């Protein structure tokens, strides 16, 4: 194992330096209110029975995007969407753009743009006595995504 290359600790990406923007009906907002965010793309895998095999084959057959996060309770963008929906029946789609970059890491910058986003739960009003900071949980779905910027391969990652 003396020739085993390992990651340099400084190449881990510090999450607090991320950027998050949302675009709603053509208007772009710096969504600096977010304190955490995660999106996932779940691939639907279908079983494929194959004659002459004991085991099943598998095939990718579509996918579903979901997102969730926590934000400071100090903006009304999503409540405005909920209000529009309850009054008109029209739920506006929006985009979420997330970029991660840590100047100390050799990984560089990665950006994901989530398209066709919907919010599935809305916090309308809340309070909490005491000295607590108000936060709200956000979640929803997205229909597609783009990767205009990707992390660089770290030194030692490619072995061939």
């Amino acid at each position: 194992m003396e020739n085993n290359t390992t990651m340099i600790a400084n190449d881990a990406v510090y999450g607090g330096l991320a950027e998050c923007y949302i675009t709603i009906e053509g208007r772009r907002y710096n969504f600096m209110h977010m304190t955490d965010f995660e999106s996932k793309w779940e691939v639907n895998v279908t079983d494929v029975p194959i004659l002459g095999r004991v085991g099943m084959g598998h095939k990718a057959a579509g996918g579903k995007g979901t997102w969730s996060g926590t934000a400071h309770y100090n903006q009304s963008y999503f409540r405005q969407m909920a209000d529009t929906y309850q009054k008109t029946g029209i739920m506006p789609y929006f985009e979420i753009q997330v970029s991660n970059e840590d100047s100390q890491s050799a990984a560089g910058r990665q950006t994901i743009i989530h398209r066709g986003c919907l919010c599935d739960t809305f916090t309308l009003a809340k309070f909490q006595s005491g000295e607590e900071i108000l936060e709200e949980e956000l979640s929803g779905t997205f229909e597609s995504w783009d990767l205009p910027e990707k992390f660089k391969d770290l030194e030692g990652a490619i072995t061939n």
Side-chain angles (χ1 to χ4, degrees):
M1 284 208 160
E2 61 189 61
N3 291 329
N4 186 23
T5 303
T6 61
M7 187 184 88
I8 298 168
N10 225 23
D11 287 337
V13 176
Y14 178 64
L17 299 175
E19 297 173 346
C20 184
Y21 295 91
I22 58 173
T23 303
I24 305 168
E25 296 181 326
R27 188 160 195 187
R28 189 169 194 239
Y29 302 91
N30 180 352
F31 205 48
M32 60 192 172
H33 317 277
M34 293 294 281
T35 59
D36 70 68
F37 179 86
E38 182 175 57
S39 63
K40 295 182 180 185
W41 182 257
E42 180 183 337
V43 177
N44 298 329
V45 177
T46 301
D47 290 341
V48 180
I50 300 172
L51 187 63
R53 284 194 194 172
V54 175
M56 276 290 172
H58 302 92
K59 181 174 180 140
K64 176 183 178 181
T66 58
W67 63 270
S68 62
T70 305
H72 292 291
Y73 183 76
N74 62 357
Q75 52 75 34
S76 295
Y77 310 132
F78 293 104
R79 281 173 278 289
Q80 288 171 339
M81 276 190 254
D83 188 50
T84 297
Y85 181 62
Q86 67 125 359
K87 289 179 178 171
T88 67
I90 298 169
M91 175 70 81
Y93 284 92
F94 59 97
E95 291 181 357
I96 303 172
Q97 177 181 319
V98 175
S99 297
N100 295 96
E101 184 175 28
D102 178 348
S103 61
Q104 292 188 69
S105 172
R109 182 177 173 93
Q110 175 179 276
T111 298
I112 302 282
I113 302 171
H114 307 79
R115 302 195 188 280
C117 297
L118 288 174
C119 202
D120 60 16
T121 303
F122 299 91
T123 300
L124 297 181
K126 72 182 296 180
F127 67 84
Q128 183 175 352
S129 63
E131 297 183 26
E132 295 296 319
I133 303 288
L134 290 180
E135 294 181 325
E136 62 182 308
E137 299 299 318
L138 301 168
S139 63
T141 60
F142 60 95
E143 295 183 2
S144 65
W145 53 277
D146 291 313
L147 178 65
E149 296 176 294
K150 64 178 190 146
F151 289 130
K152 299 172 190 164
D153 293 324
L154 296 176
E155 186 175 331
I158 300 174
T159 60
N160 61 350

